[in-house]
Amino acid sequence: MTKEFIVAIELGSSKITGIAGKKNPDGSISILAVVKEDSTSCIRKGVVFNIDKTVLCLTNIVKKLETSLKTNIARVYVGVGGQSIRSVKNIIMKTLPAETIVSQDMINELMDANRSMSYADQEILDAVTQEYKVDSLYQLDPVGIPCLRLEGNFLNILWRKTFYKNLNQCINKAGMEIAELYLAPLALADAVLTETEKRSGCILVDLGADTTTVLVYYKNILRHLAVIPLGGENITKDITSLLMEESQAEDMKLKYASAYTDNSDIDENKKYPIDSDRKVESRKFIEIVESRLQEIIENVFYQVPNEYADKLIGGIILTGGGANMPNIEKAFTDQAPTEKIRIAKFVNLKINSNLPEITAHDATMNTILGLLAKGDINCAGEEINTDLFQATDAKHTATTPTQTKEPRSFTETSGTGIVQTEEEKERLRKQKEAQEEAERLAKEEEERRIAEEKRQNSPMNKLWKGIKNFARKITEEEE
């Protein structure tokens, strides 16, 4: 019997996580396996900096999953995230002749023109349509409306070209067939936010180990995305200033750290043990933790565009490992433009699993579960042969994917969170060049045909034809 399951991989700063799950007819997802690899030596702030070590981690993840599933993996879904991802607004305008009715082709031209924008050292990962301006009115769907001026407002999501290139190199070196590259923050948002929150306006804050990701939604549209290069690890490193190892600092953070402590509740005589010989004053420890956390919170709210600051009725949704810190809501409430704060400890999906990583509901698996939910292509290859009497030199390789994926145009992928790989972009570029060449040749042929028709119908040509016909008749009569 052919197996069917989805495989997703998340490249995190502290660990790379691989997950396999099966989608059920009732819409639920059954988790089949979860594996992890330490990534501190190859990924920093969500970005690959050591290609060879990352490749080793990825191949180990795939091997562990294959062993657990007893099936080869033919393809995987991979999440893209980390430092330097940011959003930039862009406007593309087109002037139209009088009485022109907006068509879908015109919209596609605007979208393609936007995706063709060039940014220094930056790669466009995705482009989200905000709205269209038809003359002086804003519309979400302008097709069919007559106008003289059509304007497309877009939100381009950028990433440094170096990071994009390194990720693609890792994927290629690991020999992984990609089902889809996906923007991890958008997959997370779809998994933890409700439709009401997106529609009424909200801020999603993913408090990670090395980074904090901020997304702003309003009227069901992503309005801003930024990754702040600060996270829980920064708090840990600050605690090491109390003269201790980083592992000790991490333990103390998990045991004693609070996002907010009222000044009147601080016991001046209380001390926290560093080890068997040393202790630290609780006030000093609290001040270190809160100072760094306040910096993170200030940076979060700095990212909220002014035009949406007073419209976010859906409130603030906190997720990620940092959301587990005690009194985290209180710390945000003190600076937030709204008192409505919710902690998303788990995804808004029906998940079936007895695995402790999943049942913990500690917000650390939300992104990978969101990526898994995006999968719609079977990732299973051939079943691994465990028959000891079979030839020992048989190779356990994934089957050649039966579902080939043609590179989709920018207009097809815009706003979906799908990131095109370098291979897809190159194939799409060649397709576009071939199409443009065919169109050029067709245009030249048409121009030649029109020129020939004009020549044939010109007065001089008609006169010359008349003379030739007259001469031929005279010659025929003489004969």
Side-chain angles (χ1 to χ4, degrees):
M1 180 179 177
T2 303
K3 285 191 176 182
E4 289 189 6
F5 53 75
I6 308 295
V7 175
I9 294 178
E10 178 192 5
L11 286 78
S13 300
S14 60
K15 60 186 178 299
I16 295 177
T17 306
I19 191 169
K22 180 178 175 59
K23 290 191 171 182
N24 303 312
D26 64 356
S28 65
I29 302 175
S30 298
I31 306 303
L32 306 176
V34 176
V35 297
K36 298 178 181 180
E37 283 279 315
D38 182 271
S39 63
T40 52
S41 64
C42 55
I43 296 177
R44 186 181 295 122
K45 297 190 181 300
V47 172
V48 172
F49 71 90
N50 188 312
I51 292 174
D52 289 344
K53 288 184 178 179
T54 303
V55 170
L56 181 61
C57 284
L58 288 173
T59 52
N60 286 343
I61 286 284
V62 171
K63 286 177 182 177
K64 287 179 179 179
L65 285 173
E66 287 180 335
T67 300
S68 178
L69 299 166
K70 295 182 175 60
T71 304
N72 284 296
I73 293 171
R75 56 186 69 78
V76 298
Y77 286 83
V78 177
V80 177
Q83 186 181 8
S84 96
I85 285 184
R86 63 190 181 95
S87 61
V88 175
K89 288 185 177 180
N90 187 42
I91 297 174
I92 300 291
M93 188 271 290
K94 185 179 182 67
T95 302
L96 305 171
E99 305 300 322
T100 300
I101 296 176
V102 178
S103 67
Q104 187 60 52
D105 285 342
M106 294 177 190
I107 298 301
N108 291 347
E109 284 177 16
L110 290 182
M111 295 174 74
D112 286 340
N114 174 65
R115 287 297 292 259
S116 299
M117 286 289 295
S118 179
Y119 297 88
D121 300 321
Q122 301 283 319
E123 189 82 25
I124 297 180
L125 296 184
D126 196 10
V128 182
T129 302
Q130 304 292 281
E131 58 267 312
Y132 295 94
K133 191 175 182 182
V134 184
D135 287 336
S136 60
L137 298 176
Y138 285 98
Q139 301 283 339
L140 291 178
D141 183 9
V143 175
I145 302 175
C147 67
L148 296 174
R149 188 173 186 271
L150 179 62
E151 184 180 284
N153 291 270
F154 303 97
L155 187 73
N156 291 337
I157 301 173
L158 312 179
W159 204 28
R160 282 184 59 181
K161 288 182 180 178
T162 304
F163 299 160
Y164 176 80
K165 183 178 179 181
N166 286 353
L167 177 63
N168 277 277
Q169 271 192 272
C170 290
I171 291 168
N172 292 333
K173 283 194 171 187
M176 293 166 57
E177 176 77 24
I178 297 298
E180 212 81 83
L181 272 182
Y182 210 93
L183 269 169
L186 298 193
L188 171 65
D190 288 344
V192 301
L193 297 180
T194 65
E195 286 300 311
T196 301
E197 287 169 337
K198 283 186 177 182
R199 185 175 60 253
S200 57
C202 67
I203 308 170
L204 174 61
V205 183
D206 181 17
L207 297 161
D210 271 0
T211 60
T212 298
T213 305
V214 182
L215 299 94
V216 178
Y217 281 87
Y218 182 64
K219 290 186 177 179
N220 266 332
I221 297 172
L222 177 68
R223 304 294 180 170
H224 187 70
L225 169 62
V227 178
I228 302 165
L230 296 171
E233 286 297 316
N234 295 92
I235 297 174
T236 301
K237 288 174 182 175
D238 288 351
I239 296 172
T240 62
S241 66
L242 298 171
L243 303 179
M244 67 182 78
E245 295 291 331
E246 197 164 316
S247 58
Q248 292 176 309
E250 180 67 16
D251 288 340
M252 289 195 70
K253 181 182 75 174
L254 296 176
K255 286 181 183 178
Y256 307 116
S258 173
Y260 175 85
T261 304
D262 191 277
N263 190 57
S264 60
D265 293 335
I266 299 176
D267 186 346
E268 300 293 348
N269 298 316
K270 190 173 183 178
K271 295 184 177 181
Y272 297 134
I274 298 175
D275 49 39
S276 57
D277 301 319
R278 298 182 301 148
K279 294 182 179 181
V280 60
E281 295 175 6
S282 63
R283 175 173 288 278
K284 186 177 288 186
F285 181 85
I286 289 168
E287 287 175 350
I288 288 174
V289 172
E290 289 190 3
S291 294
R292 179 62 76 176
L293 192 57
Q294 286 303 307
E295 181 189 9
I296 293 173
I297 294 172
E298 287 172 5
N299 275 277
V300 166
F301 293 127
Y302 177 77
Q303 292 297 329
V304 180
N306 291 332
E307 62 263 41
Y308 304 113
D310 59 347
K311 299 177 181 177
L312 305 175
I313 301 172
I316 301 165
I317 296 86
L318 306 177
T319 192
N324 293 304
M325 186 177 285
N327 298 317
I328 191 71
E329 304 106 306
K330 177 62 178 172
F332 270 85
T333 301
D334 278 3
Q335 297 186 47
T338 174
E339 292 186 0
K340 189 174 183 180
I341 295 181
R342 175 174 75 87
I343 297 180
K345 290 292 185 75
F346 203 60
V347 294
N348 302 325
L349 303 165
K350 188 177 179 183
I351 304 294
N352 306 320
S353 177
N354 294 320
L355 298 172
E357 298 94 337
I358 306 298
T359 58
H361 285 207
D362 60 1
T364 61
M365 297 294 289
N366 288 350
T367 298
I368 190 73
L369 289 171
L371 288 169
L372 187 68
K374 292 296 178 185
D376 56 6
I377 300 174
N378 183 22
C379 297
E382 291 180 344
E383 187 172 347
I384 293 176
N385 181 19
T386 55
D387 189 347
L388 297 177
F389 296 99
Q390 291 291 323
T392 56
D393 61 346
K395 294 182 180 179
H396 293 170
T397 56
T399 57
T400 302
T402 56
Q403 295 157 292
T404 57
K405 184 179 58 141
E406 287 298 315
R408 291 156 297 180
S409 67
F410 289 144
T411 52
E412 290 179 280
T413 58
S414 288
T416 61
I418 293 171
V419 179
Q420 291 183 323
T421 64
E422 282 187 317
E423 182 183 19
E424 285 178 308
K425 286 189 175 184
E426 180 62 18
R427 288 164 63 195
L428 186 60
R429 184 186 65 78
K430 288 180 179 179
Q431 281 187 2
K432 188 175 181 180
E433 285 181 353
Q435 182 180 351
E436 288 175 348
E437 178 65 12
E439 290 174 354
R440 184 186 66 80
L441 293 174
K443 185 178 179 181
E444 288 179 357
E445 181 61 32
E446 179 66 12
E447 288 174 350
R448 281 194 294 269
R449 185 188 66 78
I450 293 172
E452 179 62 22
E453 283 184 359
K454 285 183 178 180
R455 190 185 67 79
Q456 292 289 339
N457 296 324
S458 67
M460 184 61 69
N461 191 61
K462 287 181 178 179
L463 177 61
W464 178 243
K465 280 185 177 179
I467 293 171
K468 285 172 66 177
N469 289 334
F470 178 72
R472 187 174 63 252
K473 285 181 180 179
I474 291 175
T475 303
E476 290 174 351
E477 288 175 358
E478 290 178 350
E479 292 176 352

